[in-house]
Amino acid sequence: PHGCTVRLPDSRLNAHARACDYRPLPCPHAKAGCAAEMCAGDVASHVAVCEFSPTECRHKGCHVVLPRIACVEHEEAECQHRRVLCRYHGCEKRIRPHAVDRHASTCEWRPVRCPLGCGVEVPVQDAAAHRESECPLRVAPCTYCGEEMAVRDIVDHTKNDCREREKIRAARALCMWDQMRAISARMAGGMSRE
């Protein structure tokens, strides 16, 4: 064979050619698609890296054996034993493909629209906090009159519509006026003593 330097009598040449490390051989995985041809002595090193070597899927519970080149695709996109990340932002759970929809229906990170109608989408786990302390449509009482309304309307209400606010403002002004008169009277009394 080409590359062999062994010198033999013609009577032993055929036997040597069948066992020579330099004889050309196809890859043992030619039927799977490998077109490589190599010297017999290089078969083991080729098989170790051959893209067509039979490879078992690395996912626990899957025992599929495919050519190495197909196993990568199988492990990343097809294997029903692989783990995939939940589709909802913030959720770090990895689940098997067949359980994705079941997990999604109960995931604490799945988005829900605010039930009060503000239009905001929040993760289920944050919905109560949004409804109780963040939503501009949550109901709260006016600080002055106690009338209940959407939080977003309170500022406008207290500036323009709240009658109690005006009463309280007038009472505060009167109280401040009385305090100023009392201070003035004390100061005037203190000056006359000097």
Side-chain angles (χ1 to χ4, degrees):
H2 181 69
C4 181
T5 57
V6 174
R7 301 254 185 236
L8 295 169
D10 288 345
S11 61
R12 294 185 50 208
L13 200 53
N14 282 339
H16 173 74
R18 286 190 301 273
C20 179
D21 282 348
Y22 288 97
R23 75 186 182 284
L25 290 177
C27 173
H29 309 299
K31 287 182 181 175
C34 184
E37 197 170 273
M38 69 228 62
C39 294
D42 296 333
V43 170
S45 59
H46 169 76
V47 166
V49 296
C50 179
E51 292 182 334
F52 295 91
S53 290
T55 307
E56 186 173 345
C57 177
R58 65 183 164 87
H59 295 298
K60 185 178 179 180
C62 181
H63 304 289
V64 169
V65 177
L66 298 166
R68 184 177 288 136
I69 195 167
C71 203
V72 172
E73 174 72 17
H74 167 79
E75 290 174 349
E76 293 176 2
E78 300 165 356
C79 182
Q80 291 303 303
H81 294 275
R82 75 186 188 283
R83 301 287 179 156
V84 293
L85 193 60
C86 174
R87 68 182 129 206
Y88 297 124
H89 179 71
C91 183
E92 299 293 323
K93 277 205 169 175
R94 292 191 164 274
I95 46 223
R96 291 201 171 144
H98 71 276
V100 166
D101 291 336
R102 183 179 39 197
H103 168 76
S105 69
T106 60
C107 180
E108 290 294 311
W109 290 91
R110 76 183 181 284
V112 292
R113 285 212 176 273
C114 172
L116 300 178
C118 74
V120 170
E121 273 193 357
V122 294
V124 169
Q125 66 183 7
D126 299 335
H130 169 77
R131 192 175 51 249
E132 294 166 13
S133 62
E134 299 166 6
C135 182
L137 296 180
R138 71 187 184 280
V139 175
C142 168
T143 329
Y144 300 105
C145 69
E147 182 182 337
E148 293 205 342
M149 64 195 72
V151 170
R152 72 175 181 192
D153 299 331
I154 289 179
V155 171
D156 188 49
H157 166 78
T158 54
K159 281 184 181 176
N160 304 318
D161 302 328
C162 184
R163 290 195 174 109
E164 292 300 315
R165 180 174 186 253
E166 292 307 315
K167 289 179 190 175
I168 292 169
R169 195 183 256 171
R172 282 187 184 152
L174 186 60
C175 181
M176 286 176 71
W177 180 252
D178 289 344
Q179 287 175 350
M180 286 174 56
R181 275 197 320 218
I183 291 170
S184 290
R186 272 189 256 139
M187 287 176 66
M191 288 185 178
S192 60
R193 290 186 193 146
E194 290 178 13

PDB file of all heavy atoms in Angstrom, residues 155-185:
ATOM      1  N   VAL A 155     -55.357  64.787  43.503  1.00  0.00           N
ATOM      2  CA  VAL A 155     -54.698  66.098  43.431  1.00  0.00           C
ATOM      3  C   VAL A 155     -55.631  67.120  42.800  1.00  0.00           C
ATOM      4  O   VAL A 155     -55.820  68.223  43.328  1.00  0.00           O
ATOM      5  CB  VAL A 155     -53.366  66.007  42.642  1.00  0.00           C
ATOM      6  CG1 VAL A 155     -52.791  67.384  42.377  1.00  0.00           C
ATOM      7  CG2 VAL A 155     -52.378  65.154  43.400  1.00  0.00           C
ATOM      8  N   ASP A 156     -56.251  66.776  41.684  1.00  0.00           N
ATOM      9  CA  ASP A 156     -57.177  67.687  41.017  1.00  0.00           C
ATOM     10  C   ASP A 156     -58.364  67.993  41.927  1.00  0.00           C
ATOM     11  O   ASP A 156     -58.804  69.148  42.028  1.00  0.00           O
ATOM     12  CB  ASP A 156     -57.650  67.053  39.697  1.00  0.00           C
ATOM     13  CG  ASP A 156     -58.451  68.020  38.867  1.00  0.00           C
ATOM     14  OD1 ASP A 156     -57.973  69.162  38.672  1.00  0.00           O
ATOM     15  OD2 ASP A 156     -59.556  67.648  38.414  1.00  0.00           O
ATOM     16  N   HIS A 157     -58.878  66.977  42.600  1.00  0.00           N
ATOM     17  CA  HIS A 157     -60.001  67.156  43.515  1.00  0.00           C
ATOM     18  C   HIS A 157     -59.644  68.135  44.643  1.00  0.00           C
ATOM     19  O   HIS A 157     -60.412  69.053  44.928  1.00  0.00           O
ATOM     20  CB  HIS A 157     -60.415  65.801  44.108  1.00  0.00           C
ATOM     21  CG  HIS A 157     -61.327  65.900  45.281  1.00  0.00           C
ATOM     22  ND1 HIS A 157     -62.677  66.161  45.157  1.00  0.00           N
ATOM     23  CD2 HIS A 157     -61.080  65.781  46.614  1.00  0.00           C
ATOM     24  CE1 HIS A 157     -63.218  66.189  46.363  1.00  0.00           C
ATOM     25  NE2 HIS A 157     -62.271  65.962  47.272  1.00  0.00           N
ATOM     26  N   THR A 158     -58.484  67.932  45.267  1.00  0.00           N
ATOM     27  CA  THR A 158     -58.125  68.811  46.391  1.00  0.00           C
ATOM     28  C   THR A 158     -57.847  70.239  45.934  1.00  0.00           C
ATOM     29  O   THR A 158     -58.118  71.183  46.668  1.00  0.00           O
ATOM     30  CB  THR A 158     -56.905  68.268  47.164  1.00  0.00           C
ATOM     31  OG1 THR A 158     -55.837  68.061  46.267  1.00  0.00           O
ATOM     32  CG2 THR A 158     -57.233  66.991  47.881  1.00  0.00           C
ATOM     33  N   LYS A 159     -57.355  70.430  44.702  1.00  0.00           N
ATOM     34  CA  LYS A 159     -57.099  71.781  44.202  1.00  0.00           C
ATOM     35  C   LYS A 159     -58.382  72.498  43.801  1.00  0.00           C
ATOM     36  O   LYS A 159     -58.509  73.699  44.014  1.00  0.00           O
ATOM     37  CB  LYS A 159     -56.179  71.729  42.976  1.00  0.00           C
ATOM     38  CG  LYS A 159     -54.745  71.536  43.287  1.00  0.00           C
ATOM     39  CD  LYS A 159     -53.953  71.600  41.991  1.00  0.00           C
ATOM     40  CE  LYS A 159     -52.483  71.372  42.243  1.00  0.00           C
ATOM     41  NZ  LYS A 159     -51.729  71.335  40.975  1.00  0.00           N
ATOM     42  N   ASN A 160     -59.325  71.752  43.208  1.00  0.00           N
ATOM     43  CA  ASN A 160     -60.470  72.410  42.588  1.00  0.00           C
ATOM     44  C   ASN A 160     -61.830  72.131  43.207  1.00  0.00           C
ATOM     45  O   ASN A 160     -62.705  72.991  43.147  1.00  0.00           O
ATOM     46  CB  ASN A 160     -60.544  72.020  41.099  1.00  0.00           C
ATOM     47  CG  ASN A 160     -59.259  72.345  40.382  1.00  0.00           C
ATOM     48  OD1 ASN A 160     -58.687  73.397  40.592  1.00  0.00           O
ATOM     49  ND2 ASN A 160     -58.802  71.433  39.535  1.00  0.00           N
ATOM     50  N   ASP A 161     -62.050  70.968  43.768  1.00  0.00           N
ATOM     51  CA  ASP A 161     -63.406  70.576  44.152  1.00  0.00           C
ATOM     52  C   ASP A 161     -63.647  70.380  45.646  1.00  0.00           C
ATOM     53  O   ASP A 161     -64.787  70.392  46.083  1.00  0.00           O
ATOM     54  CB  ASP A 161     -63.783  69.259  43.450  1.00  0.00           C
ATOM     55  CG  ASP A 161     -63.697  69.367  41.948  1.00  0.00           C
ATOM     56  OD1 ASP A 161     -63.950  70.473  41.426  1.00  0.00           O
ATOM     57  OD2 ASP A 161     -63.371  68.363  41.283  1.00  0.00           O
ATOM     58  N   CYS A 162     -62.613  70.170  46.429  1.00  0.00           N
ATOM     59  CA  CYS A 162     -62.804  69.795  47.835  1.00  0.00           C
ATOM     60  C   CYS A 162     -63.183  71.018  48.679  1.00  0.00           C
ATOM     61  O   CYS A 162     -62.375  71.919  48.887  1.00  0.00           O
ATOM     62  CB  CYS A 162     -61.540  69.142  48.384  1.00  0.00           C
ATOM     63  SG  CYS A 162     -61.748  68.542  50.070  1.00  0.00           S
ATOM     64  N   ARG A 163     -64.439  71.018  49.171  1.00  0.00           N
ATOM     65  CA  ARG A 163     -64.911  72.136  50.017  1.00  0.00           C
ATOM     66  C   ARG A 163     -64.285  72.073  51.406  1.00  0.00           C
ATOM     67  O   ARG A 163     -64.010  73.095  52.013  1.00  0.00           O
ATOM     68  CB  ARG A 163     -66.429  72.089  50.116  1.00  0.00           C
ATOM     69  CG  ARG A 163     -67.080  72.443  48.801  1.00  0.00           C
ATOM     70  CD  ARG A 163     -68.544  72.752  48.995  1.00  0.00           C
ATOM     71  NE  ARG A 163     -69.076  73.220  47.733  1.00  0.00           N
ATOM     72  CZ  ARG A 163     -69.910  72.524  46.987  1.00  0.00           C
ATOM     73  NH1 ARG A 163     -70.309  71.335  47.376  1.00  0.00           N
ATOM     74  NH2 ARG A 163     -70.345  73.024  45.854  1.00  0.00           N
ATOM     75  N   GLU A 164     -64.060  70.879  51.898  1.00  0.00           N
ATOM     76  CA  GLU A 164     -63.458  70.719  53.225  1.00  0.00           C
ATOM     77  C   GLU A 164     -62.058  71.310  53.259  1.00  0.00           C
ATOM     78  O   GLU A 164     -61.645  71.889  54.254  1.00  0.00           O
ATOM     79  CB  GLU A 164     -63.424  69.236  53.620  1.00  0.00           C
ATOM     80  CG  GLU A 164     -64.766  68.619  53.862  1.00  0.00           C
ATOM     81  CD  GLU A 164     -65.529  69.301  54.990  1.00  0.00           C
ATOM     82  OE1 GLU A 164     -64.926  69.581  56.047  1.00  0.00           O
ATOM     83  OE2 GLU A 164     -66.730  69.569  54.805  1.00  0.00           O
ATOM     84  N   ARG A 165     -61.343  71.180  52.153  1.00  0.00           N
ATOM     85  CA  ARG A 165     -59.983  71.718  52.089  1.00  0.00           C
ATOM     86  C   ARG A 165     -60.016  73.231  52.305  1.00  0.00           C
ATOM     87  O   ARG A 165     -59.198  73.791  53.031  1.00  0.00           O
ATOM     88  CB  ARG A 165     -59.340  71.394  50.742  1.00  0.00           C
ATOM     89  CG  ARG A 165     -57.933  71.944  50.639  1.00  0.00           C
ATOM     90  CD  ARG A 165     -57.296  71.467  49.332  1.00  0.00           C
ATOM     91  NE  ARG A 165     -55.915  71.877  49.285  1.00  0.00           N
ATOM     92  CZ  ARG A 165     -55.449  72.858  48.512  1.00  0.00           C
ATOM     93  NH1 ARG A 165     -56.267  73.512  47.728  1.00  0.00           N
ATOM     94  NH2 ARG A 165     -54.178  73.162  48.517  1.00  0.00           N
ATOM     95  N   GLU A 166     -60.967  73.872  51.670  1.00  0.00           N
ATOM     96  CA  GLU A 166     -61.076  75.327  51.829  1.00  0.00           C
ATOM     97  C   GLU A 166     -61.423  75.698  53.270  1.00  0.00           C
ATOM     98  O   GLU A 166     -60.880  76.651  53.816  1.00  0.00           O
ATOM     99  CB  GLU A 166     -62.109  75.896  50.854  1.00  0.00           C
ATOM    100  CG  GLU A 166     -61.683  75.805  49.407  1.00  0.00           C
ATOM    101  CD  GLU A 166     -60.313  76.415  49.150  1.00  0.00           C
ATOM    102  OE1 GLU A 166     -60.030  77.528  49.652  1.00  0.00           O
ATOM    103  OE2 GLU A 166     -59.508  75.758  48.459  1.00  0.00           O
ATOM    104  N   LYS A 167     -62.298  74.921  53.903  1.00  0.00           N
ATOM    105  CA  LYS A 167     -62.647  75.177  55.309  1.00  0.00           C
ATOM    106  C   LYS A 167     -61.413  75.006  56.196  1.00  0.00           C
ATOM    107  O   LYS A 167     -61.147  75.817  57.079  1.00  0.00           O
ATOM    108  CB  LYS A 167     -63.752  74.229  55.774  1.00  0.00           C
ATOM    109  CG  LYS A 167     -65.109  74.508  55.189  1.00  0.00           C
ATOM    110  CD  LYS A 167     -66.099  73.478  55.720  1.00  0.00           C
ATOM    111  CE  LYS A 167     -67.415  73.548  55.002  1.00  0.00           C
ATOM    112  NZ  LYS A 167     -68.311  72.472  55.438  1.00  0.00           N
ATOM    113  N   ILE A 168     -60.670  73.931  55.957  1.00  0.00           N
ATOM    114  CA  ILE A 168     -59.463  73.660  56.758  1.00  0.00           C
ATOM    115  C   ILE A 168     -58.426  74.745  56.516  1.00  0.00           C
ATOM    116  O   ILE A 168     -57.796  75.233  57.452  1.00  0.00           O
ATOM    117  CB  ILE A 168     -58.906  72.254  56.440  1.00  0.00           C
ATOM    118  CG1 ILE A 168     -59.880  71.191  56.961  1.00  0.00           C
ATOM    119  CG2 ILE A 168     -57.519  72.059  57.026  1.00  0.00           C
ATOM    120  CD1 ILE A 168     -59.586  69.787  56.490  1.00  0.00           C
ATOM    121  N   ARG A 169     -58.288  75.149  55.273  1.00  0.00           N
ATOM    122  CA  ARG A 169     -57.334  76.204  54.942  1.00  0.00           C
ATOM    123  C   ARG A 169     -57.703  77.514  55.655  1.00  0.00           C
ATOM    124  O   ARG A 169     -56.847  78.190  56.217  1.00  0.00           O
ATOM    125  CB  ARG A 169     -57.321  76.415  53.427  1.00  0.00           C
ATOM    126  CG  ARG A 169     -56.149  77.208  52.954  1.00  0.00           C
ATOM    127  CD  ARG A 169     -56.235  77.428  51.473  1.00  0.00           C
ATOM    128  NE  ARG A 169     -55.312  76.556  50.785  1.00  0.00           N
ATOM    129  CZ  ARG A 169     -55.271  76.395  49.501  1.00  0.00           C
ATOM    130  NH1 ARG A 169     -56.134  77.011  48.721  1.00  0.00           N
ATOM    131  NH2 ARG A 169     -54.380  75.614  48.945  1.00  0.00           N
ATOM    132  N   ALA A 170     -58.991  77.826  55.654  1.00  0.00           N
ATOM    133  CA  ALA A 170     -59.452  79.053  56.328  1.00  0.00           C
ATOM    134  C   ALA A 170     -59.220  78.949  57.834  1.00  0.00           C
ATOM    135  O   ALA A 170     -58.777  79.918  58.473  1.00  0.00           O
ATOM    136  CB  ALA A 170     -60.923  79.296  56.016  1.00  0.00           C
ATOM    137  N   ALA A 171     -59.488  77.763  58.403  1.00  0.00           N
ATOM    138  CA  ALA A 171     -59.290  77.566  59.841  1.00  0.00           C
ATOM    139  C   ALA A 171     -57.814  77.687  60.190  1.00  0.00           C
ATOM    140  O   ALA A 171     -57.450  78.287  61.214  1.00  0.00           O
ATOM    141  CB  ALA A 171     -59.837  76.211  60.274  1.00  0.00           C
ATOM    142  N   ARG A 172     -56.956  77.153  59.364  1.00  0.00           N
ATOM    143  CA  ARG A 172     -55.508  77.258  59.602  1.00  0.00           C
ATOM    144  C   ARG A 172     -55.060  78.722  59.526  1.00  0.00           C
ATOM    145  O   ARG A 172     -54.253  79.176  60.326  1.00  0.00           O
ATOM    146  CB  ARG A 172     -54.730  76.421  58.584  1.00  0.00           C
ATOM    147  CG  ARG A 172     -54.741  74.952  58.893  1.00  0.00           C
ATOM    148  CD  ARG A 172     -53.829  74.211  57.947  1.00  0.00           C
ATOM    149  NE  ARG A 172     -53.899  72.779  58.169  1.00  0.00           N
ATOM    150  CZ  ARG A 172     -53.685  71.876  57.258  1.00  0.00           C
ATOM    151  NH1 ARG A 172     -53.379  72.232  56.032  1.00  0.00           N
ATOM    152  NH2 ARG A 172     -53.765  70.601  57.537  1.00  0.00           N
ATOM    153  N   ALA A 173     -55.592  79.438  58.531  1.00  0.00           N
ATOM    154  CA  ALA A 173     -55.225  80.853  58.391  1.00  0.00           C
ATOM    155  C   ALA A 173     -55.667  81.634  59.616  1.00  0.00           C
ATOM    156  O   ALA A 173     -54.926  82.477  60.143  1.00  0.00           O
ATOM    157  CB  ALA A 173     -55.844  81.429  57.111  1.00  0.00           C
ATOM    158  N   LEU A 174     -56.888  81.340  60.107  1.00  0.00           N
ATOM    159  CA  LEU A 174     -57.392  82.015  61.296  1.00  0.00           C
ATOM    160  C   LEU A 174     -56.537  81.682  62.507  1.00  0.00           C
ATOM    161  O   LEU A 174     -56.177  82.560  63.301  1.00  0.00           O
ATOM    162  CB  LEU A 174     -58.851  81.608  61.533  1.00  0.00           C
ATOM    163  CG  LEU A 174     -59.584  82.333  62.653  1.00  0.00           C
ATOM    164  CD1 LEU A 174     -59.629  83.836  62.365  1.00  0.00           C
ATOM    165  CD2 LEU A 174     -60.990  81.799  62.807  1.00  0.00           C
ATOM    166  N   CYS A 175     -56.147  80.429  62.625  1.00  0.00           N
ATOM    167  CA  CYS A 175     -55.298  79.985  63.738  1.00  0.00           C
ATOM    168  C   CYS A 175     -53.943  80.684  63.680  1.00  0.00           C
ATOM    169  O   CYS A 175     -53.432  81.147  64.698  1.00  0.00           O
ATOM    170  CB  CYS A 175     -55.135  78.470  63.677  1.00  0.00           C
ATOM    171  SG  CYS A 175     -54.140  77.786  65.025  1.00  0.00           S
ATOM    172  N   MET A 176     -53.386  80.770  62.485  1.00  0.00           N
ATOM    173  CA  MET A 176     -52.097  81.451  62.329  1.00  0.00           C
ATOM    174  C   MET A 176     -52.240  82.938  62.682  1.00  0.00           C
ATOM    175  O   MET A 176     -51.367  83.532  63.316  1.00  0.00           O
ATOM    176  CB  MET A 176     -51.567  81.286  60.888  1.00  0.00           C
ATOM    177  CG  MET A 176     -51.034  79.890  60.617  1.00  0.00           C
ATOM    178  SD  MET A 176     -50.530  79.664  58.918  1.00  0.00           S
ATOM    179  CE  MET A 176     -49.063  80.649  58.847  1.00  0.00           C
ATOM    180  N   TRP A 177     -53.358  83.523  62.286  1.00  0.00           N
ATOM    181  CA  TRP A 177     -53.622  84.934  62.604  1.00  0.00           C
ATOM    182  C   TRP A 177     -53.668  85.125  64.114  1.00  0.00           C
ATOM    183  O   TRP A 177     -53.077  86.056  64.651  1.00  0.00           O
ATOM    184  CB  TRP A 177     -54.929  85.374  61.937  1.00  0.00           C
ATOM    185  CG  TRP A 177     -55.288  86.788  62.203  1.00  0.00           C
ATOM    186  CD1 TRP A 177     -56.288  87.246  62.997  1.00  0.00           C
ATOM    187  CD2 TRP A 177     -54.624  87.940  61.709  1.00  0.00           C
ATOM    188  NE1 TRP A 177     -56.307  88.593  63.034  1.00  0.00           N
ATOM    189  CE2 TRP A 177     -55.270  89.063  62.232  1.00  0.00           C
ATOM    190  CE3 TRP A 177     -53.535  88.136  60.869  1.00  0.00           C
ATOM    191  CZ2 TRP A 177     -54.874  90.362  61.956  1.00  0.00           C
ATOM    192  CZ3 TRP A 177     -53.173  89.445  60.597  1.00  0.00           C
ATOM    193  CH2 TRP A 177     -53.825  90.535  61.133  1.00  0.00           C
ATOM    194  N   ASP A 178     -54.381  84.220  64.810  1.00  0.00           N
ATOM    195  CA  ASP A 178     -54.467  84.298  66.273  1.00  0.00           C
ATOM    196  C   ASP A 178     -53.086  84.136  66.906  1.00  0.00           C
ATOM    197  O   ASP A 178     -52.755  84.846  67.861  1.00  0.00           O
ATOM    198  CB  ASP A 178     -55.405  83.205  66.817  1.00  0.00           C
ATOM    199  CG  ASP A 178     -56.867  83.474  66.505  1.00  0.00           C
ATOM    200  OD1 ASP A 178     -57.191  84.633  66.143  1.00  0.00           O
ATOM    201  OD2 ASP A 178     -57.675  82.526  66.600  1.00  0.00           O
ATOM    202  N   GLN A 179     -52.271  83.218  66.367  1.00  0.00           N
ATOM    203  CA  GLN A 179     -50.924  83.015  66.911  1.00  0.00           C
ATOM    204  C   GLN A 179     -50.062  84.250  66.695  1.00  0.00           C
ATOM    205  O   GLN A 179     -49.309  84.657  67.585  1.00  0.00           O
ATOM    206  CB  GLN A 179     -50.265  81.798  66.247  1.00  0.00           C
ATOM    207  CG  GLN A 179     -50.836  80.484  66.707  1.00  0.00           C
ATOM    208  CD  GLN A 179     -50.238  79.299  65.937  1.00  0.00           C
ATOM    209  OE1 GLN A 179     -49.541  79.488  64.954  1.00  0.00           O
ATOM    210  NE2 GLN A 179     -50.551  78.099  66.398  1.00  0.00           N
ATOM    211  N   MET A 180     -50.189  84.871  65.560  1.00  0.00           N
ATOM    212  CA  MET A 180     -49.406  86.076  65.279  1.00  0.00           C
ATOM    213  C   MET A 180     -49.820  87.223  66.204  1.00  0.00           C
ATOM    214  O   MET A 180     -48.970  87.976  66.687  1.00  0.00           O
ATOM    215  CB  MET A 180     -49.566  86.479  63.799  1.00  0.00           C
ATOM    216  CG  MET A 180     -48.794  85.534  62.878  1.00  0.00           C
ATOM    217  SD  MET A 180     -49.061  85.805  61.140  1.00  0.00           S
ATOM    218  CE  MET A 180     -48.646  87.489  60.905  1.00  0.00           C
ATOM    219  N   ARG A 181     -51.136  87.352  66.482  1.00  0.00           N
ATOM    220  CA  ARG A 181     -51.598  88.403  67.408  1.00  0.00           C
ATOM    221  C   ARG A 181     -51.058  88.149  68.803  1.00  0.00           C
ATOM    222  O   ARG A 181     -50.640  89.083  69.489  1.00  0.00           O
ATOM    223  CB  ARG A 181     -53.121  88.453  67.416  1.00  0.00           C
ATOM    224  CG  ARG A 181     -53.680  89.299  66.324  1.00  0.00           C
ATOM    225  CD  ARG A 181     -55.103  89.671  66.584  1.00  0.00           C
ATOM    226  NE  ARG A 181     -55.863  88.560  67.152  1.00  0.00           N
ATOM    227  CZ  ARG A 181     -57.105  88.264  66.868  1.00  0.00           C
ATOM    228  NH1 ARG A 181     -57.749  88.986  65.995  1.00  0.00           N
ATOM    229  NH2 ARG A 181     -57.720  87.279  67.433  1.00  0.00           N
ATOM    230  N   ALA A 182     -51.046  86.884  69.199  1.00  0.00           N
ATOM    231  CA  ALA A 182     -50.551  86.550  70.538  1.00  0.00           C
ATOM    232  C   ALA A 182     -49.067  86.863  70.639  1.00  0.00           C
ATOM    233  O   ALA A 182     -48.601  87.413  71.654  1.00  0.00           O
ATOM    234  CB  ALA A 182     -50.813  85.077  70.845  1.00  0.00           C
ATOM    235  N   ILE A 183     -48.304  86.548  69.610  1.00  0.00           N
ATOM    236  CA  ILE A 183     -46.869  86.837  69.608  1.00  0.00           C
ATOM    237  C   ILE A 183     -46.643  88.347  69.640  1.00  0.00           C
ATOM    238  O   ILE A 183     -45.805  88.852  70.389  1.00  0.00           O
ATOM    239  CB  ILE A 183     -46.178  86.191  68.387  1.00  0.00           C
ATOM    240  CG1 ILE A 183     -46.176  84.666  68.544  1.00  0.00           C
ATOM    241  CG2 ILE A 183     -44.758  86.710  68.218  1.00  0.00           C
ATOM    242  CD1 ILE A 183     -45.742  83.923  67.292  1.00  0.00           C
ATOM    243  N   SER A 184     -47.428  89.063  68.853  1.00  0.00           N
ATOM    244  CA  SER A 184     -47.300  90.526  68.829  1.00  0.00           C
ATOM    245  C   SER A 184     -47.610  91.116  70.191  1.00  0.00           C
ATOM    246  O   SER A 184     -46.936  92.049  70.651  1.00  0.00           O
ATOM    247  CB  SER A 184     -48.253  91.137  67.790  1.00  0.00           C
ATOM    248  OG  SER A 184     -47.818  90.816  66.505  1.00  0.00           O
ATOM    249  N   ALA A 185     -48.644  90.561  70.813  1.00  0.00           N
ATOM    250  CA  ALA A 185     -49.035  91.073  72.130  1.00  0.00           C
ATOM    251  C   ALA A 185     -47.923  90.815  73.151  1.00  0.00           C
ATOM    252  O   ALA A 185     -47.615  91.681  73.969  1.00  0.00           O
ATOM    253  CB  ALA A 185     -50.333  90.425  72.584  1.00  0.00           C
TER     254      ALA A 185
END
